[in-house]
Amino acid sequence: MAETLSQRSSAANTNNPKPAPRVGLFATCLVDLMRPSVGFAAVKLLEDAGCRVEVPPQTCCGQPAYNSGDRATTRALAEQMIEEFSRFDYVVVPSGSCGGMIKTHYAELFADDPNWLPKAHALAAKTYELVSFLVDVLGVTRVAARFEGQVTYHDSCAGLRELGIRSQPRRLLASVEGLELVEMAETDVCCGFGGTFAVKYGEISGAIVEKKAQNIVASGAPTLLAGDLGCLMNMAGKLQRDGSPVRVRHVAEVLAGMTDTPAIGEA
């Protein structure tokens, strides 16, 4: 996917006298393997905002290994990430979970290493979740997109609690023509995914996502949006097992006006 996205990405706003920010897009494992359309939507949004986007070679941020206690693997992945993305003005991630790993936990990983800790801090300082970057750094207030109908929005745990992402997606969604946001109950409560948590504690995870699915359906909105693909896949799976017609999409796809592909989990 990285190669394909790199071929698609190009310098934007060449008539702008100010240099275009050089952004390295960290697409994330799940986007690369399960939902490449999110990566293409991220590139479009960044280029429309005047950025020069590149997608360097990449694998995983190391979060699954870190959460499982495998510090050796996490460190190897983090070192690779730091070295590959050090040359960019900004690193942008369409995931609050992966963004939180880089901004918060890399420094913890290298806390006792005087050689790598400054590099981890430097990467963290320029790493942003996609929608947060558009709003908080670039000052984007509107997007050129249209989406007919009501949507409801789930605030993922890492994005909300580690990165402070709550108002930013709602601000941009308010500018999408035809879209009406309907808030569900307990929008900031976990969906039950939590990466390896869903594997280790399946019954607890299932109970959490069951309540989340009830709140989604009760909102009456036919479309569910969020900023983390792991959360979205977990909720989409539960909704489909329940026979719910609610369609599930990454917020970037709607903001970019790229909703021609099937919703998450659909053939």
Side-chain angles (χ1 to χ4, degrees):
M1 175 185 170
E3 180 181 0
T4 306
L5 276 176
S6 297
Q7 293 170 349
R8 283 277 302 271
S9 62
S10 61
N13 287 0
T14 54
N15 294 326
N16 192 332
K18 296 178 63 176
R22 189 184 183 197
V23 171
L25 178 68
F26 180 59
T28 80
C29 304
L30 285 180
V31 168
D32 186 21
L33 296 172
M34 307 299 294
R35 193 72 176 176
S37 58
V38 176
F40 291 115
V43 170
K44 182 180 186 300
L45 287 167
L46 291 168
E47 289 188 339
D48 287 350
C51 297
R52 182 159 54 102
V53 185
E54 299 178 40
V55 186
Q58 54 191 264
T59 52
C60 175
C61 70
Q63 186 184 50
Y66 186 76
N67 290 344
S68 300
D70 184 355
R71 294 298 188 266
T73 299
T74 308
R75 183 184 175 103
L77 291 168
E79 289 179 0
Q80 182 184 56
M81 180 84 186
I82 291 170
E83 290 180 339
E84 193 63 52
F85 283 85
S86 63
R87 65 183 185 271
F88 296 102
D89 299 325
Y90 298 100
V91 178
V92 175
V93 191
S95 162
S97 179
C98 297
M101 177 66 189
I102 298 167
K103 288 190 75 71
T104 303
H105 300 296
Y106 274 15
E108 298 172 359
L109 182 66
F110 294 108
D112 298 326
D113 190 324
N115 294 319
W116 280 95
L117 183 58
K119 298 177 183 179
H121 280 306
L123 183 67
K126 62 181 180 181
T127 297
Y128 293 88
E129 183 273 340
L130 172 65
V131 179
S132 174
F133 179 70
L134 292 171
V135 174
D136 299 333
V137 178
L138 299 182
V140 175
T141 59
R142 299 189 60 82
V143 293
R146 185 174 186 84
F147 185 87
E148 293 292 343
Q150 294 180 327
V151 305
T152 193
Y153 191 87
H154 165 71
D155 295 293
S156 68
C157 296
L160 177 64
R161 293 169 178 84
E162 291 187 336
L163 303 179
I165 300 166
R166 183 180 177 86
S167 64
Q168 300 93 327
R170 290 168 172 81
R171 191 176 308 172
L172 293 185
L173 286 171
S175 72
V176 176
E177 293 185 21
L179 183 147
E180 179 187 355
L181 176 63
V182 180
E183 297 285 7
M184 73 175 87
E186 301 180 323
T187 182
D188 58 350
V189 173
C190 180
C191 75
F193 177 60
T196 56
F197 174 87
V199 178
K200 292 180 179 179
Y201 306 102
E203 290 186 6
I204 299 174
S205 173
I208 295 172
V209 76
E210 181 176 0
K211 181 61 180 297
K212 175 60 69 171
Q214 291 172 358
N215 287 335
I216 294 166
V217 172
S219 75
T223 300
L224 167 67
L225 305 179
D228 267 286
L229 188 54
C231 301
L232 287 163
M233 291 171 61
N234 188 46
M235 294 182 290
K238 174 59 177 172
L239 289 165
Q240 290 175 1
R241 291 192 298 274
D242 290 347
S244 170
V246 175
R247 308 186 78 195
V248 181
R249 292 190 179 277
H250 194 286
V251 66
E253 295 174 314
V254 170
L255 294 177
M258 298 173 65
T259 56
D260 292 336
T261 57
I264 294 170
E266 294 184 356

